[in-house]
């Protein structure tokens, strides 16, 4: 069965085409800088004859619609031999960022589900609208396919109330849905499943801390296979220091910015979401650049890395306490998978908790799952490549199978 996965971000579209149940990736790519003067598209594919093709092009995309139509063009390109007609795609899996309390599982999309995702727009104003647009255009291009939504918040719906409630008057939760939702759920769940498989232990017996460090960063405490606490909150702004987001901050700073510094709500929002984190501290949201600058002796870069890794370490300690015991810590995503330095510094000084990184194993470069702890480390430390699109394809496939056997 051919499953297309569409992940519309706040200015990009990631897409992958899989053959399931073989989990073969036929095509994968990204459309970037949607709405900007200069956009781009890149993709890699394997033709039915086994030929590998890589393409990259500059092209401006005025909106998501034009980006999605360009993806369809690639899918139907005759010489690639991927698809002959729209009916060849049986399922389209969509990443939807916010499922609120309504969605704790993937669902098949119908008019009612569309309305519910629309109703959640106030909770995710930057993310749910492009997700909805992706779904609508995909209905037009693949009218016969089943459209499935997989929610980034769903995995965290198992949080206990003492972890998801804020200590503010009840009505903010009861009437206005103000609570912790958490994000990156598809990635946290995927790497947890991969870890269980790798460790040959049932996921429901495992206590894990998953550390997703990409441009957005979050950590999750997983108790007996279920999300128990997570560092993002009502929005993706909470928790760790990220590429451009501040992470945890005293809310009084916001009053101060507003009252004393006369900043508008939009300016504050923009500052904390787009101008903060590594960008705010070191003028770049690319960690490779900051690591390089620190090596050259730059103080600003050093300080940014200190804040970044100290925050991770604090959450490791907090989640250790929340879980009581930890079988494994899992590092994933762009930074988590590729930066030995960040992994080492985040775990440094936690030897008394049984967390001991092995420097040589940590420095080794592979693209598969690997262990990087010392033999006497009580806690396993794993590096696991995330694959949100594959996770979405799997979920969508399972949903189709259960629907067919209903
Ligand atoms: P993602 O959002 O998962 O694509 O991750 C993007 C982030 O990963 C960017 O901040 C990159 O600088 C960072 N990254 C990618 N490769 C490396 C690396 N080798 N060392 C440090 N950071 C990296």
């Amino acid at each position: 069965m051919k499953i297309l996965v569409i992940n519309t971000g706040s200015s990009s579209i990631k897409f992958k085409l899989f053959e399931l149940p073989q989990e073969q990736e036929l095509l994968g790519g990204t459309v970037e800088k949607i709405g900007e003067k200069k956009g781009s598209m890149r993709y890699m594919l394997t033709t039915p004859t086994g030929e590998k093709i890589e393409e990259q092009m500059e092209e401006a995309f005025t909106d998501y619609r034009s980006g999605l139509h360009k993806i369809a063009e690639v899918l139907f390109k005759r010489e690639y031999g991927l698809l002959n007609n729209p009916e060849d795609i049986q399922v389209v899996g969509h990443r939807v960022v916010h499922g609120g309390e309504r969605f704790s599982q993937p669902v098949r999309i119908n008019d009612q589900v569309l309305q519910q995702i629309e109703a959640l727009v106030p909770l995710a104003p930057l993310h749910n609208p492009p997700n909805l647009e992706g779904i609508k255009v995909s209905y037009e291009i693949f009218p016969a396919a089943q459209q499935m939504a997989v929610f980034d918040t769903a995995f965290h719906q198992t949080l206990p109330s003492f972890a998801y409630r804020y200590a503010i008057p009840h009505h903010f939760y009861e009437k206005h849905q103000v609570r912790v939702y958490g994000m990156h759920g598809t990635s946290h769940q995927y790497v947890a499943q991969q870890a269980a498989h790798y460790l040959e232990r049932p996921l429901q017996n495992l206590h894990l801390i998953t550390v997703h460090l990409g441009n957005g960063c979050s950590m999750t405490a997983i108790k007996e296979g279920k999300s128990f606490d997570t560092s993002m909150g009502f929005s993706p702004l909470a928790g760790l220091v990220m590429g451009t987001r501040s992470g945890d901050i005293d809310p009084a700073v916001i009053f101060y910015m507003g009252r004393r510094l006369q900043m508008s709500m939009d300016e504050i929002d923009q500052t904390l979401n787009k101008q903060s984190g590594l960008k705010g501290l070191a003028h770049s949201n690319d960690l490779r650049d900051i690591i390089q600058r620190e090596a050259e002796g730059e103080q600003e870069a050093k300080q940014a890395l200190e804040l970044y890794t100290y925050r991770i370490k604090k959450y490791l300690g907090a989640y250790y306490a929340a879980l009581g015991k930890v079988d494994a810590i899992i590092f994933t995503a762009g930074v988590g998978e590729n930066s030995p330095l960040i992994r080492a510094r985040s775990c440094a000084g936690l030897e008394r908790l049984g967390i001991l990184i092995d420097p040589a194993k940590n420095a080794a470069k592979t693209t598969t799952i690997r262990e990087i702890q010392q033999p006497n480390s009580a806690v396993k430390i794993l590096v696991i490549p995330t694959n949100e699109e594959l996770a979405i394809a799997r979920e969508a496939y399972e949903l189709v199978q259960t629907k067919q056997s209903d």
Side-chain angles (χ1 to χ4, degrees):
M1 175 184 296
K2 287 195 172 53
I3 299 188
L4 174 67
V5 176
I6 294 179
N7 177 352
T8 44
S10 48
S11 70
S12 68
I13 309 170
K14 289 187 192 154
F15 57 96
K16 281 190 183 176
L17 177 68
F18 294 98
E19 183 73 51
L20 269 94
Q22 300 88 326
E23 301 197 347
Q24 189 191 0
E25 187 179 315
L26 306 172
L27 165 75
T30 330
V31 172
E32 271 164 345
K33 299 194 176 153
I34 292 171
E36 292 183 31
K37 270 192 195 134
K38 280 188 180 166
S40 63
M41 180 192 211
R42 56 193 161 85
Y43 57 86
M44 275 173 61
L45 66 107
T46 311
T47 66
T49 55
E51 190 194 349
K52 296 214 182 301
I53 297 176
E54 222 176 314
E55 290 283 357
Q56 192 156 0
M57 65 200 72
E58 304 279 310
E59 188 170 329
F61 298 99
T62 45
D63 51 17
Y64 288 91
R65 174 170 295 273
S66 57
L68 288 157
H69 278 278
K70 185 75 191 179
I71 295 169
E73 230 175 76
V74 172
L75 284 164
F76 294 123
K77 230 177 189 180
R78 197 163 282 208
E79 66 254 42
Y80 293 162
L82 293 170
L83 303 177
N84 295 318
N85 54 62
E87 287 74 43
D88 290 347
I89 298 264
Q90 283 104 325
V91 179
V92 184
H94 297 270
R95 172 179 181 243
V96 178
V97 166
H98 218 304
E101 289 191 332
R102 172 66 191 79
F103 298 107
S104 56
Q105 298 287 337
V107 287
R108 185 166 173 181
I109 300 169
N110 55 28
D111 286 348
Q112 194 192 1
V113 170
L114 272 179
Q115 279 166 16
Q116 286 164 333
I117 298 173
E118 190 108 44
L120 290 163
V121 165
L123 296 181
L126 293 180
H127 294 99
N128 275 23
N131 298 157
L132 278 165
E133 181 71 3
I135 295 169
K136 285 175 190 160
V137 178
S138 149
Y139 262 121
E140 293 163 19
I141 303 175
F142 307 105
Q146 302 188 51
Q147 312 276 338
M148 308 290 192
V150 178
F151 298 90
D152 225 24
T153 48
F155 181 56
H156 303 302
Q157 279 298 301
T158 50
L159 255 56
S161 61
F162 54 79
Y164 75 66
R165 286 289 300 271
Y166 292 115
I168 55 177
H170 283 293
H171 73 274
F172 287 104
Y173 169 62
E174 280 150 9
K175 285 210 182 101
H176 305 288
Q177 301 115 48
V178 177
R179 51 159 286 177
V180 169
Y181 291 100
M183 312 279 150
H184 290 152
T186 309
S187 175
H188 289 291
Q189 184 175 23
Y190 174 80
V191 295
Q193 285 165 343
Q194 294 292 100
H197 188 253
Y198 174 82
L199 297 170
E200 296 181 349
R201 291 181 59 187
L203 182 56
Q204 64 268 27
N205 292 353
L206 290 175
H207 287 57
L208 305 167
I209 302 177
T210 46
V211 189
H212 177 113
L213 304 175
N215 204 16
C217 303
S218 67
M219 287 173 62
T220 297
I222 298 177
K223 188 175 188 176
E224 293 163 354
K226 293 189 175 127
S227 179
F228 183 75
D229 203 353
T230 193
S231 62
M232 285 180 167
F234 176 67
S235 82
L237 188 52
L240 303 177
V241 175
M242 310 183 210
T244 64
R245 297 186 204 125
S246 64
D248 291 338
I249 190 167
D250 180 345
V253 173
I254 296 165
F255 317 145
Y256 186 82
M257 286 174 164
R259 295 196 189 116
R260 181 84 191 163
L261 307 180
Q262 302 282 305
M263 290 168 70
S264 69
M265 275 297 170
D266 283 348
E267 284 168 341
I268 299 172
D269 186 330
Q270 183 77 5
T271 301
L272 298 182
N273 272 298
K274 301 273 184 207
Q275 307 298 335
S276 297
L278 294 171
K279 191 163 181 214
L281 292 167
H283 311 288
S284 167
N285 60 346
D286 191 334
L287 250 176
R288 283 165 291 201
D289 167 47
I290 301 173
I291 290 170
Q292 171 73 27
R293 281 160 47 202
E294 185 203 44
E296 288 160 7
E298 197 196 291
Q299 274 309 305
E300 205 173 58
K302 179 169 182 280
Q303 192 194 38
L305 294 178
E306 276 170 358
L307 257 91
Y308 186 91
T309 50
Y310 177 64
R311 187 79 55 87
I312 299 168
K313 187 184 302 191
K314 278 212 292 194
Y315 270 96
L316 282 175
Y319 286 169
Y320 203 119
L323 294 172
K325 62 170 184 172
V326 178
D327 296 300
I329 294 168
I330 300 158
F331 285 95
T332 192
V335 179
E337 289 166 31
N338 297 305
S339 177
L341 180 134
I342 296 296
R343 293 191 297 258
R345 290 190 190 170
S346 304
C347 293
L350 301 180
E351 295 80 8
R352 293 289 286 273
L353 296 181
I355 299 169
L356 287 98
I357 280 201
D358 180 304
K361 289 184 190 160
N362 185 31
K365 280 193 178 132
T366 56
T367 51
T368 50
I369 299 186
R370 61 203 168 92
E371 295 181 33
I372 57 166
Q373 79 282 356
Q374 293 177 23
N376 57 339
S377 177
V379 177
K380 286 195 185 295
I381 308 170
L382 305 177
V383 178
I384 304 186
T386 194
N387 191 338
E388 287 168 283
E389 286 76 23
L390 176 58
I392 292 169
R394 276 183 189 169
E395 298 264 22
Y397 181 73
E398 268 175 37
L399 195 58
V400 177
Q401 302 300 103
T402 49
K403 284 272 179 274
Q404 278 173 353
S405 59
D406 276 352

